[in-house]
Amino acid sequence: MKSEPWWKEAVVYQIYPRSFFDSNGDGEGDLNGITAKLDYVKNLGVDAIWLSPFYTSPNKDGGYDVADPRDVDPRFGDLADAKALIARAHELKLRVIADIVPNHFSDQHEWFQAALKSGPGSAERNRFHFYDGNPDGTPPNNWISLFGGPSWTQVPDGQFYLHLFDSSQPDLNWDNPEVHADFEKTLRFWLDLGIDGFRIDVAHGLVKENIHKNHPNPQGLSDALRLDVEMDTEERNALLVSVPFFDRQGVHEIYRQWRKLFDSYKGREVMAVAEAWVHPPENATRYVRSDELQQVFNFDLLTAPFDGEFLFDVINRSIQLNSSVGALPTWALSNHDSPRVATRIGDSESRALALFVFALPGSAYVFAGQELGLPDGELQDTDRQDPSFIRSKGRVKGRDGARVPLPWNGDTTPFGFTTGKPWLPLNQSWQKLTVENEKADPQSSLNLFREALALRAEHLVNKGDVQWLESPLHGAKRKDLLVFKRGAVTVAMNLSELAQEVSIEGQVIMLSAGSLDSNSGKKLIPARSCIWSLN
Ligand code: BGC
């Protein structure tokens, strides 16, 4: 029997290196810290890790401002540490996905430094988007940075450069073949080091059109699009379809080339997942056509309310759209750019939803700490470091809450994360949520995740489509109860405030809250919880 590629229904554990585990007491997580904890990761039952950037960087945007994409920043270690991490992961049969950041470099990258020195019209400037301003001295157009403020910064000779993010993140000019060649070099560099795949940052942003035109900004917004998911969905969608710097046709040609490069690594099953915030949702499927990338993130669940009707619609749509191009969906409830799911929808709800999505076809992405049920860290404004907080002058709180380091053990903060001062403070209220405590508690979120992932591998992976069940609803509204069958497992999620009795055959093998009740025909599902029943 032909085996499926490893990534197809993989569970991928996202590690934000700075916040995972500090091996040298400087207050920031590092590569050796990750290696030291890989046994823990393996024991969760995940298939792969995705590492947010650990490359040389002045760290103005958590490492997404890359100054040398083919080296490790000293705060995280060095290339030998990266090799040791990959080797240990592979020993444990964990795949490793690296983040690649092709929309921009850091202003500290040698190319940008050379561009500053070389002056208007030079080949060095042509690697970025340098333009003269308007005769009245204003920037070339009215585009706005995703982190707030104008997306243009002026250099001393009068020209402006484009940065969709922070002014320290100049956008690359993908019309320039040198840029293509350099990224192919970077992809090969990490593949040759043993990396198994890539998460492509701002995958929809590389190609820009109509730089000389203003973007119609009917709402008069001062921050056009934000990544911190605080923006109203409709407002975001209206902008996404209209901006001339996202989701242009040209990006697909780049991924076709990359796909050829990936496939040239015979026998390696190299994969890539696109971070593409696009609208309408149909557009996302273009990134996973058979000659492009393998996966595209589905961000619907990062913002979805705990409402059955809503979840049914977005889940169904994602399954259908992906299948129209022969792909499987991805599911993510949290990441380093959005509030943690336990904070956003609640503790019980986040566990229920995790069980629910683990049973769906496709890949599940778990943000480190989610398995512990961690909420966002509560921070003082003086702790905050996110450029979106700084550029919006504090109006947008930013993404630091989700990036507070993980609590490992002990009774007092920083709970074993570091022997030094953590770069963001951990909350003392996390005492019960340490890995050490949760390991010992059979009812913990950690043990729920472990059991669920083991059972997922056994009974759900590669078991085909979902079949939504209406019959056990017994008059319950879809808003309050969702039931589907996949393989031999029936999955039922009670979204209401009351326990519900539902007719489902089989034996309950997972329950996200409380203890298992009846194993006969009728199952009592506690409020805000999810069960798996095996036939
Ligand atoms: C990353 C963010 C980062 C931005 C700019 C995003 O999509 O996930 O963390 O700030 O790209 O690189």
Side-chain angles (χ1 to χ4, degrees), residues 370-490:
Q370 190 187 330
E371 75 279 18
L372 303 172
L374 268 197
D376 273 4
E378 283 162 31
L379 297 170
Q380 305 293 323
D381 282 356
T382 44
D383 295 322
R384 296 189 192 276
Q385 307 196 15
D386 187 344
S388 63
F389 174 76
I390 298 163
R391 283 183 69 89
S392 72
K393 303 197 172 45
R395 200 173 41 73
V396 174
K397 289 292 173 203
R399 303 160 295 173
D400 293 310
R403 298 174 180 181
V404 171
L406 258 60
W408 290 95
N409 50 45
D411 295 330
T412 45
T413 171
F415 300 118
F417 163 70
T418 178
T419 53
K421 182 174 183 287
W423 72 279
L424 286 175
L426 290 80
N427 296 138
Q428 184 55 41
S429 59
W430 289 4
Q431 193 174 349
K432 281 212 175 70
L433 301 177
T434 62
V435 170
E436 183 182 47
N437 269 335
E438 293 211 16
K439 268 187 186 167
D441 172 4
Q443 301 291 329
S444 69
S445 173
L446 175 59
N447 283 320
L448 177 88
F449 268 61
R450 282 179 171 164
E451 283 161 37
L453 293 185
L455 291 170
R456 175 185 194 273
E458 197 181 338
H459 298 296
L460 288 153
V461 170
N462 296 328
K463 291 290 190 283
D465 292 339
V466 304
Q467 191 196 335
W468 296 97
L469 300 186
E470 304 288 344
S471 51
L473 295 180
H474 295 306
K477 295 204 178 67
R478 179 165 275 152
K479 187 175 171 30
D480 293 331
L481 182 68
L482 288 179
V483 189
F484 70 83
K485 194 159 190 277
R486 184 166 185 233
V489 180
T490 305

Side-chain angles (χ1 to χ4, degrees), residues 103 121 133 140 145 192 232 277 284 301 358 360 368 390 394 443 507:
N103 182 65
S145 154
D192 294 344
D232 172 76
W277 290 85
L301 299 185
F358 285 156
L360 292 169
I390 298 163
Q443 301 291 329
Q507 187 187 1

Side-chain angles (χ1 to χ4, degrees), residues 14 16 50 52-53 61-65 99 101 103-104 146-147 164-166 169 199-204 227 275 277 299 335-337 386-387 399 403:
Q14 182 195 355
Y16 195 71
W50 148 29
S52 284
D61 181 24
Y64 284 93
D65 46 326
D99 224 301
V101 190
N103 182 65
H104 44 264
L146 272 78
F147 290 158
L164 291 184
F165 295 89
D166 191 51
Q169 293 166 293
R199 177 263 188 189
I200 305 173
D201 190 64
V202 200
H204 54 313
L227 289 175
E275 185 212 24
W277 290 85
F299 294 118
N335 67 20
H336 66 293
D337 288 329
D386 187 344
R399 303 160 295 173
R403 298 174 180 181

Side-chain angles (χ1 to χ4, degrees), residues 89-105:
H90 286 170
E91 251 170 46
L92 292 169
K93 302 214 169 0
L94 286 170
R95 308 279 181 155
V96 185
I97 297 175
D99 224 301
I100 185 145
V101 190
N103 182 65
H104 44 264
F105 276 157

